[in-house]
């Protein structure tokens, strides 16, 4: 599928152009000559109009039963499912990940809406035993009001889906601001919900910059709760803005995720897990493995196998058959990745593979780079501490399990953490002691079950509410406690 897609913002049930008449164009990261989509660039005026529409739509949507709201979500799931191939292709063209990765992500959005549609039958409160006879004590789950969602570009349909579905199920109305490098999937999600019968104003979509649209949402007294996924710096700022007016805040941010490889591990398994978790999605996943911490005894054998596998990966346009890894999302992201690699080498890391831009042949107009492996990395180097968000793996040596754990916990982030071992005791000790929201044993650090809670600790998250799973409704609703005395 080719051709320029034209989008408008969704405000109060209408698809509207921006008042300032400015447009945002997205380009294909695999060939930046191709314009993929064009959007009206919203600003403060659009954000405020969207908030007003959401406020007006709230009473009627909140007044519907959860089951009726759930029907809309289930119907949206079916609509997305029917358009899966078309949406996945568009996702690849705008964000760059391979078609297989994009198809998996669209499927995730389909499943999330199906899950929360079904969950609508369980939405409610709890009956509790009262101390006295003839008394009923129960909780009711209620919506919050107008909720703002601010999302990143790297999972442009899955993340909007995993925030939107529980927000809507709970009876909130929403203003969603997608990230500017890849807004198409959020707009398509909106279109599917409109087609599924979502009432006007319940979901509003505004494309625009963080410092205009994002800031307006973060500072508006209309917004009673804001869920954000993105970088740690922006998340911290928004959290502070919300705290001032004591609005509810859910900030899910970056990671510096370790995979520990112990001496008893199946090294072929370890290498294949690290390759998938480090270079899959071009390393542009918050849960990507960016540090591999290897027991010294197996370090040479592990590193040799890792480099051989990295060298065999095919980098190219994600729509081309056989491609393992697509481009970086943008020229800026590519440049930042390469600067991190150069900085690591300057600090004493050894470039074991990669480190260069790829701009030969079909790759001449895209933001491609080699999958990169750095050795001789010490825990204090920048490359071992900061999130790169690209296909760059730093390999660190550890003396033993305890040393590996200490290194793994020695960063400010705590999102996902993997361990490769055959030792069940060490696996359980790892689950006990690792400072991370998600622990994977003999599995890739990326990849989540939609029915399970997800979120980080330390600087990866505000760590107050989890996303995903049935518990996602906690952030988007409140409990009211009712005491009823019928004894008299
Ligand atoms: P980003 O922080 O640059 O942007 C995220 C969103 O915030 C975008 O929509 C952006 O426009 C908006 N924004 C920017 N400045 C703003 C401001 N001042 N006020 C309000 N909104 C503002 O992040 P990104 O580059 O889009 O995404 C990559 C980051 O997201 C990485 O750090 C990655 O680890 C993180 N991420 C985390 C998770 C998770 O679940 N923990 C998942 C995916 C991505």
């Amino acid at each position: 599928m080719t051709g320029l897609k034209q989008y408008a913002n969704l405000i109060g049930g209408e698809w509207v152009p921006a008042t300032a008449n400015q447009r945002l164009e997205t380009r294909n990261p695999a060939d930046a000559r191709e314009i993929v989509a064009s959007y009206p660039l919203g600003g403060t005026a659009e954000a405020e109009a969207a908030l007003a529409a959401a406020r007006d739509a709230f009473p009627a949507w909140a007044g519907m039963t959860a089951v009726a709201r759930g029907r809309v979500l289930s119907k949206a799931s079916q609509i997305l499912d029917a358009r899966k191939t078309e949406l996945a292709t568009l996702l690849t063209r705008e964000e760059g990940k391979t078609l297989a990765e994009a198809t998996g992500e669209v499927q995730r959005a389909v499943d999330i809406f199906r899950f929360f549609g079904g969950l609508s039958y369980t939405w409610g409160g709890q009956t509790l035993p009262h101390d006295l006879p003839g008394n009923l004590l129960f909780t009711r789950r209620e919506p919050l009001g107008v909720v703002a969602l601010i999302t990143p570009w790297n999972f442009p349909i899955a993340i909007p889906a995993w925030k939107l579905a529980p927000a809507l199920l709970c009876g909130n109305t929403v203003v969603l601001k997608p990230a500017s490098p890849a807004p198409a999937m959020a707009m398509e999600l909106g279109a599917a919900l409109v087609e599924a019968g979502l009432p006007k104003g319940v979901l509003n979509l505004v494309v625009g910059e963080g410092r205009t649209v994002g800031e307006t949402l973060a500072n508006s007294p209309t917004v009673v709760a804001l869920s954000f996924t993105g970088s740690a710096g922006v998340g911290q700022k928004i959290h502070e803005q919300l705290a001032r007016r004591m609005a509810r805040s859910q900030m899910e941010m970056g990671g510096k995720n370790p995979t520990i490889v112990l001496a008893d591990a199946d090294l072929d398994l370890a290498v294949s897990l690290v390759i998938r978790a480090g270079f899959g999605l071009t390393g542009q996943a918050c849960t990507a493995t960016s540090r591999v911490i290897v027991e010294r005894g197996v370090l040479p054998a592990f590193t040799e196998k890792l480099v051989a596998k990295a060298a065999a990966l095919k980098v190219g346009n994600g729509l081309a058959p056989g491609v393992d890894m697509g481009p970086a999302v943008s020229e800026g992201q590519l440049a930042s990745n390469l600067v991190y690699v150069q900085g690591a080498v300057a600090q004493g890391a050894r470039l074991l593979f990669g480190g260069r831009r790829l701009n030969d042949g079909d790759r001449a107009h895209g933001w491609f780079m080699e999958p990169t492996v750095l050795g001789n990395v010490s825990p204090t180097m920048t490359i071992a501490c900061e999130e790169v968000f690209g296909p760059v793996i730093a390999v660190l040596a550890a003396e033993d399990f305890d040393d590996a754990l200490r290194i793994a916990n020695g960063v400010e982030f705590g999102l996902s953490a993997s361990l490769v071992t055959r030792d069940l005791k060490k696996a359980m000790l790892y689950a006990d002691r690792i400072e991370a929201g998600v622990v994977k044993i003999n599995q890739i650090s990326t990849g989540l079950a939609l029915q399970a809670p997800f979120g980080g600790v330390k600087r990866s998250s505000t760590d107050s509410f989890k996303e995903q799973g049935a518990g996602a409704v906690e952030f988007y609703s409140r409990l009211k406690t009712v005491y009823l005395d019928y004894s008299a």
Side-chain angles (χ1 to χ4, degrees), residues 229-251:
T229 299
S231 58
V234 175
Q236 165 106 27
K237 182 172 181 226
I238 299 176
H239 184 55
E240 287 167 10
Q241 288 166 320
L242 295 169
R244 263 181 243 136
R245 60 172 196 280
M246 294 203 278
R248 205 178 270 203
S249 169
Q250 181 180 54
M251 306 286 123

Side-chain angles (χ1 to χ4, degrees), residues 103-118:
T103 305
E105 188 183 335
V106 175
Q107 182 64 53
R108 177 53 61 103
V110 168
D111 293 342
I112 286 169
F113 275 90
R114 191 161 59 90
F115 177 83
F116 283 100

Side-chain angles (χ1 to χ4, degrees), residues 150-154 177 228-231 253-254 286 387 389 454:
I150 299 181
T151 53
W153 48 264
N154 68 322
K177 189 202 95 60
F228 163 90
T229 299
S231 58
M253 299 167 284
C286 53
E387 183 182 52
F389 223 55
F454 173 56

Side-chain angles (χ1 to χ4, degrees), residues 150-155 159 162-163 177-181 208-218 226 228-235 237-238 241 251-255 284-287 333 387 389 413 415 448 454-456 460-461 467-468:
I150 299 181
T151 53
W153 48 264
N154 68 322
F155 288 110
I159 294 179
W162 84 48
K163 292 182 191 298
K177 189 202 95 60
S180 299
E209 293 176 2
R211 62 192 164 89
T212 55
V213 176
E215 288 265 345
T216 305
L217 299 181
L226 191 153
F228 163 90
T229 299
S231 58
V234 175
K237 182 172 181 226
I238 299 176
Q241 288 166 320
M251 306 286 123
E252 295 301 331
M253 299 167 284
Q284 298 175 150
C286 53
T287 49
Q333 185 65 54
E387 183 182 52
F389 223 55
F413 295 107
L415 192 51
L448 304 163
F454 173 56
S460 294
S461 172
E467 297 204 275
Q468 305 203 49

Side-chain angles (χ1 to χ4, degrees), residues 8 41 46 53 111 124 186 188 201 205 266 322 331 335 350 356 411 467:
L41 190 66
E46 285 74 19
D111 293 342
E188 297 292 348
L205 296 162
D266 173 341
E331 188 174 14
R350 196 172 323 124
R356 288 175 308 178
V411 295
E467 297 204 275

